[in-house]
Amino acid sequence: MTQRVAIELTVNGRPVRAEVEPRLLLADFLRDHLELTGTHLGCEHGVCGACTVLLDGDPVRSCLALAVQANGTHVETVESLTQEDGSLHPIQQAFADHHALQCGFCTPGFLMTVRGIFDDLPGMTEAQIREAVSGNLCRCTGYANIVRAVQQLQRDLQLQAVRDPATRSGSRVDDRGALRDTARSEVK
């Protein structure tokens, strides 16, 4: 029997402690142990991007990362986009408004990839947006509507910055679509 390893991490803002086999993939840990099934497994080789989650704010392929590698980190899954009032997160709303999904299998990976570049969106060109989402595969949409959705989100963020000067002076939109101060304290 394989020796189990104790891990502690934060998943979608909640502390998690578990004992896992050293070879357990982060995707399997999220889906099977935490029942966060929004993280989809497509290719299981890191090619398709359907399993993308944020690890300390950076998009990663959870089918390539081991759960033990997430020890001491903050993980965000697509479930983290859930709004307290049941409304869609601005990223989800932009995808819905532009029909940027069809079968929906790849959508969680796209949403988390876009969440990973959320803070950089206001200054990104269309080419940079296309490059940022190019690591995610979609066989249904042809990407045009996905890019349009991200551009709409970009325009919404720019409009919000014009309406609220706080976004221009050290604040940003957080993962719930609300403004917050960008000065973050490191949690170790």
Side-chain angles (χ1 to χ4, degrees):
M1 185 166 158
T2 305
Q3 184 178 4
R4 298 175 75 78
V5 177
I7 61 172
E8 292 184 31
L9 61 156
T10 302
V11 179
N12 298 335
R14 295 185 179 146
V16 173
R17 290 181 182 191
E19 288 192 8
V20 299
E21 290 187 18
R23 66 182 181 191
L24 181 68
L25 294 173
L26 179 57
D28 293 330
F29 176 70
L30 295 170
R31 291 181 57 80
D32 300 337
H33 294 257
L34 301 183
E35 299 181 0
L36 296 171
T37 57
T39 300
H40 291 172
L41 288 171
C43 67
E44 297 189 63
H45 295 285
V47 176
C48 74
C51 68
T52 301
V53 299
L54 299 185
L55 188 68
D56 287 335
D58 295 320
V60 298
R61 303 292 199 258
S62 63
C63 74
L64 296 179
L66 298 172
V68 294
Q69 291 175 297
N71 187 37
T73 67
H74 294 266
V75 176
E76 292 178 56
T77 69
V78 71
E79 288 89 352
S80 71
L81 299 179
T82 302
Q83 302 290 292
E84 291 179 19
D85 66 359
S87 64
L88 295 177
H89 184 280
I91 299 170
Q92 294 169 308
Q93 188 62 58
F95 271 62
D97 291 347
H98 291 277
H99 309 287
L101 58 109
Q102 286 183 23
C103 81
F105 191 81
C106 66
T107 304
F110 272 103
L111 294 173
M112 295 314 294
T113 296
V114 173
R115 175 65 194 104
I117 63 169
F118 202 70
D119 297 330
D120 298 324
L121 272 179
M124 293 180 80
T125 65
E126 180 179 340
Q128 289 170 320
I129 292 169
R130 287 183 179 278
E131 176 68 24
V133 300
S134 68
N136 294 70
L137 300 180
C138 177
R139 295 178 181 221
C140 302
T141 65
Y143 299 94
N145 290 346
I146 292 169
V147 172
R148 284 187 198 111
V150 177
Q151 288 175 316
Q152 179 61 53
L153 180 63
Q154 182 183 49
R155 286 189 296 273
D156 291 348
L157 290 172
Q158 290 168 337
L159 182 61
Q160 186 173 5
V162 169
R163 287 183 180 157
D164 187 344
T167 61
R168 287 179 269 147
S169 62
S171 294
R172 68 177 202 184
V173 178
D174 72 9
D175 62 344
R176 302 252 183 236
L179 290 173
R180 69 179 176 95
D181 191 342
T182 55
R184 293 200 259 184
S185 59
E186 292 293 318
V187 179
K188 297 283 180 189

